[in-house]
Amino acid sequence: MHRFRNILVVVDRDGASEALLARASEIARVNGGALTLVDALDSAPGELAKIFAALPGVRANALEESVVRAHRDRLDEVAEPLRAAGLPVGVEVLLGVDFIETIRHVLRNDIDLVLKDAYQSPDRLSLRSGDLHLLRKCPCPVWILNGVKEPTVRRIMAAVDPDPDDPIRDALNHTVLEVATSLARRDGAKLDVVNAWRLPEESTLRYSRARLPEEEVDALVAERERQSAWRLNALARDFCAFSDLMRVIHAPGAAADVLIEHAANERVDLLVLGTLARTGLAGLVIGNTAETVLSRVDCSVLTVKPRGFVSPVTLEDS
């Protein structure tokens, strides 16, 4: 938790949940950090003034300023009890597309962590497109609260895919476990470190024209499992200090299916995973597995990026 000192809290039009504010406050308190509350108006600077100019007898620019001031006043109301508790809390109203302006604020202010509530639809908590854009494109970790058990989590799942031959992926797995173990220790939560494995094209090798003798395919599967287990155990050994909280799970199957099923069966409160952009599409795609998992889980999610990640959102047009 020591890594999160400059914390951005996104307050949407429905306000901020008690769980969101409690979690943000706790992180700031533990780390001696500061909070910034932001609210994004879905209009560019001056756009509201153009709309209001159609009203007779109204000074459009002044009316836009009054709208922005109303949103700032609302943020100050949210911030007041946090400030009374001794936390440094700033507020800012952003003008433009919410996730884009949030990411630009992150870039301008060297933010360590973004926290926000998931969008609440009538039938369930869910990750809307803006949430997914933040998870994909924000350069710092993003934590979206999507469960009623916050701010204290009881079950954490860390999704890992260790590969010592890939230094970027290997470093990202370590970052995932650094964050997950720190949270588990802080909240007294149980942590499941989950790694899915399978032999690519196993069904093709068994049942198509490319079919191999069954014993040869079985040998390939066994070797794949052995290598995968060795990599997972090597990663887990680096975090043996958390063995009292941590359960290591090496599960056969497609990664997305394994993670989604485990989250549901074990009633996971928080999923921590790393997101990797495909080569040549920095920040635009985070991989089929992460995309599938994020669109289907009902728990809170915290995503981290590899070192050197470059967001496709820039400051040039801001």
Side-chain angles (χ1 to χ4, degrees):
M1 297 292 288
H2 63 279
R3 66 179 64 241
F4 301 142
R5 292 177 56 85
N6 194 7
I7 303 155
L8 187 67
V9 182
V10 178
V11 179
D12 62 26
R13 68 190 65 184
D14 297 319
S17 69
E18 291 183 7
L20 175 66
L21 297 177
R23 172 58 72 180
S25 300
E26 175 66 9
I27 295 173
R29 184 189 63 79
V30 168
N31 292 280
L35 301 174
T36 302
L37 309 184
V38 298
D39 182 9
L41 307 187
D42 191 16
S43 59
E47 186 174 332
L48 287 177
K50 292 179 182 178
I51 296 173
F52 297 151
L55 298 175
V58 173
R59 291 183 298 172
N61 290 332
L63 188 54
E64 178 177 278
E65 291 174 4
S66 69
V67 170
V68 172
R69 187 164 54 250
H71 281 261
R72 185 181 298 275
D73 290 344
R74 186 174 72 105
L75 289 176
D76 277 323
E77 290 177 2
V78 175
E80 183 178 357
L82 305 179
R83 292 167 176 160
L87 292 174
V89 184
V91 301
E92 185 167 344
V93 178
L94 308 176
L95 295 175
V97 178
D98 54 2
F99 77 88
I100 291 177
E101 296 310 318
T102 298
I103 293 173
R104 284 173 174 163
H105 185 94
V106 168
L107 295 171
R108 284 192 297 266
N109 297 279
D110 197 23
I111 297 296
D112 298 320
L113 174 68
V114 173
L115 278 162
K116 74 179 298 292
D117 283 317
Y119 173 71
Q120 297 194 30
S121 63
D123 57 341
R124 55 165 284 187
L125 296 169
S126 61
L127 299 181
R128 61 174 180 170
S129 61
D131 296 338
L132 293 173
H133 278 302
L134 262 183
L135 293 168
R136 293 172 186 136
K137 300 172 183 178
C138 186
C140 74
V142 177
W143 188 340
I144 296 184
L145 278 70
N146 196 24
V148 297
K149 295 183 180 179
E150 300 281 358
T152 301
V153 295
R154 288 285 161 242
R155 299 298 302 271
I156 301 173
M157 175 169 64
V160 297
D161 184 19
D163 185 355
D165 297 327
D166 185 337
I168 294 177
R169 183 182 296 274
D170 197 46
L172 184 59
N173 281 295
H174 277 78
T175 301
V176 167
L177 285 189
E178 287 167 7
V179 171
T181 52
S182 177
L183 286 169
R185 183 68 76 196
R186 174 64 54 189
D187 283 8
K190 295 297 183 181
L191 170 62
D192 289 343
V193 179
V194 181
N195 173 226
W197 69 274
R198 64 174 176 172
L199 176 67
E201 300 298 332
E202 179 182 351
S203 61
T204 303
L205 295 176
R206 289 190 186 277
Y207 307 117
S208 74
R209 291 184 179 181
R211 184 171 56 197
L212 292 177
E214 185 174 350
E215 61 274 13
E216 292 185 13
V217 180
D218 289 343
L220 288 173
V221 170
E223 178 61 15
R224 180 75 174 186
E225 180 180 15
R226 186 193 67 79
Q227 291 180 356
S228 178
W230 180 86
R231 292 173 175 178
L232 178 60
N233 290 331
L235 174 64
R237 280 196 297 272
D238 292 339
F239 295 87
C240 60
F242 299 90
S243 59
D244 58 320
L245 301 174
M246 191 168 68
R247 179 173 61 160
V248 179
I249 299 170
H250 190 230
D257 294 337
V258 168
L259 296 175
I260 292 166
E261 182 178 0
H262 188 84
N265 291 344
E266 299 297 326
R267 297 184 178 180
V268 167
D269 300 314
L270 175 65
L271 166 63
V272 183
L273 77 163
T275 60
L276 277 170
R278 297 182 189 276
T279 302
L281 295 174
L284 292 178
V285 183
I286 57 176
N288 290 336
T289 295
E291 289 278 1
T292 302
V293 171
L294 291 173
S295 65
R296 291 173 55 188
V297 294
D298 294 327
C299 60
S300 298
V301 295
L302 196 166
T303 62
V304 298
K305 301 294 193 304
R307 294 185 183 92
F309 173 85
V310 178
S311 173
V313 176
T314 64
L315 296 175
E316 279 80 1
D317 299 326
S318 62

